[in-house]
Amino acid sequence: MRYLTVALAKGRLAELAMDIFMSIGMDCSEMKEKSRKLIFTDEKNKMKFILVKASDVPTYVEYGAADIGIVGKDTLLEEGRNLYEMVDLGFGKCDMCVCGRPELKGKLDEIPHLKVASKYPNIARRYFQEEKGQTIEIIKLNGSVELGPLVGLSHVIVDIVETGATLRENGLDVLEKVCPLSARLIVNKVSMKMEKERIMSMVKAFSEKTSEN
Ligand code: PRP
């Protein structure tokens, strides 16, 4: 039996995913210990787990370096990779939103050259240009995106809102909701053919665990 490799998005999603893998009989104990290691093996179940940056999870899965991945829908929408999205895991729930100063609510259409800062340029472009038919300028940032409207870099941002605390603490508000997000289980297309039985039993176990919650 060959090893199946699972790519986990480092951080909160990986922690939650590990709990599910443990509950279906996989051994993630080594990964639970804090270390700088990036690859972990469960010899008994012939599984490997790799910890990667969230935005790289779909890349590992598309190229087959990982058979399975656990990643947020935001990353899938942004990366647009060729893979199967199998299960909505129901955790890591949040929303993709257009945010900015509260006085801009309902007025975005009136701004002729709207500047939008985002870690998600593809999602932002699709939303404004394809859904709303509004031409915008996108400014790509890599973090602390909320600063954009505060220092005059952009009018608004397109970003994830979970608790809303970051917006509140920076005097910003949700202006428009783009879409809901949550963690997804994804599968490489060739792996799905070659290892259908093992992968489908994992997909089934994850679907059942997810519907329990
Ligand atoms: C994310 C997101 C928001 C924040 C939303 O940032 O980009 O800034 O979390 O969460 P909240 O609604 O619960 O406040 P992240 O922590 O990933 O850091 P970043 O600024 O480096 O993107």
Side-chain angles (χ1 to χ4, degrees), residues 3 5 7 10 16 27 31 37 48 54 63 72 78 85 94 99 103 106 111-112 133 136 156 173-174 176-177 179 193:
Y3 283 93
T5 300
K10 267 193 238 172
L16 292 165
D27 179 13
M31 215 180 348
K37 251 182 105 161
K48 282 190 195 295
Y63 284 92
E78 182 62 22
E85 183 185 320
C94 49
C99 311
E103 54 269 26
I111 302 175
I136 56 163
V156 295
D173 220 339
V174 171
E176 291 174 17
K177 219 174 180 185
C179 62
K193 277 204 192 86

Side-chain angles (χ1 to χ4, degrees), residues 10-209:
K10 267 193 238 172
R12 223 181 113 254
L13 286 191
E15 297 287 327
L16 292 165
M18 275 180 233
D19 291 342
I20 303 189
F21 277 109
M22 302 263 265
S23 74
I24 62 169
M26 308 285 166
D27 179 13
C28 299
S29 51
E30 196 193 356
M31 215 180 348
K32 282 260 174 192
E33 294 160 19
K34 290 275 163 280
S35 79
R36 305 284 295 171
K37 251 182 105 161
L38 297 171
I39 182 158
F40 304 88
T41 310
D42 171 355
E43 292 294 349
K44 193 173 104 245
N45 294 298
K46 285 276 180 281
M47 297 286 294
K48 282 190 195 295
F49 295 91
I50 59 174
L51 287 176
V52 311
K53 202 173 148 78
S55 52
D56 292 335
V57 171
T59 313
Y60 282 87
V61 173
E62 183 184 86
Y63 284 92
D67 303 283
I68 296 170
I70 307 285
V71 69
K73 180 70 177 173
D74 51 317
T75 308
L76 293 175
L77 290 170
E78 182 62 22
E79 295 292 314
R81 295 276 174 184
N82 186 18
L83 40 76
Y84 293 129
E85 183 185 320
M86 300 296 294
V87 189
D88 180 346
L89 298 170
F91 59 77
K93 278 194 178 155
C94 49
D95 293 297
M96 187 63 73
C97 298
V98 182
C99 311
R101 292 190 188 277
E103 54 269 26
L104 285 185
K105 209 167 218 162
K107 299 202 178 119
L108 296 189
D109 304 351
E110 298 162 21
I111 302 175
H113 190 83
L114 191 70
K115 287 189 194 164
V116 180
S118 186
K119 277 196 288 191
Y120 304 92
N122 294 327
I123 295 176
R125 189 175 301 109
R126 264 201 307 272
Y127 176 70
F128 278 102
Q129 298 188 347
E130 289 173 26
E131 282 186 42
K132 298 186 58 171
Q134 184 172 5
T135 306
I136 56 163
E137 181 181 344
I138 295 187
I139 301 164
K140 167 84 163 71
L141 289 178
N142 296 297
S144 304
V145 181
E146 289 80 2
L147 275 173
L150 298 180
V151 299
L153 177 69
S154 66
H155 296 101
V156 295
I157 60 173
V158 167
D159 200 19
I160 290 173
V161 179
E162 191 181 354
T163 62
T166 312
L167 292 181
R168 268 193 307 280
E169 289 179 26
N170 290 290
L172 302 176
D173 220 339
V174 171
L175 304 177
E176 291 174 17
K177 219 174 180 185
V178 177
C179 62
L181 305 166
S182 57
R184 307 294 156 106
L185 186 148
I186 56 175
V187 177
N188 171 270
K189 289 192 164 176
V190 177
S191 306
M192 189 58 141
K193 277 204 192 86
M194 308 301 283
E195 295 287 341
K196 191 162 191 181
E197 219 170 294
R198 284 172 81 199
I199 290 177
M200 281 316 290
S201 74
M202 230 175 286
V203 165
K204 188 163 168 275
F206 264 85
S207 308
E208 283 166 8
K209 281 281 154 201

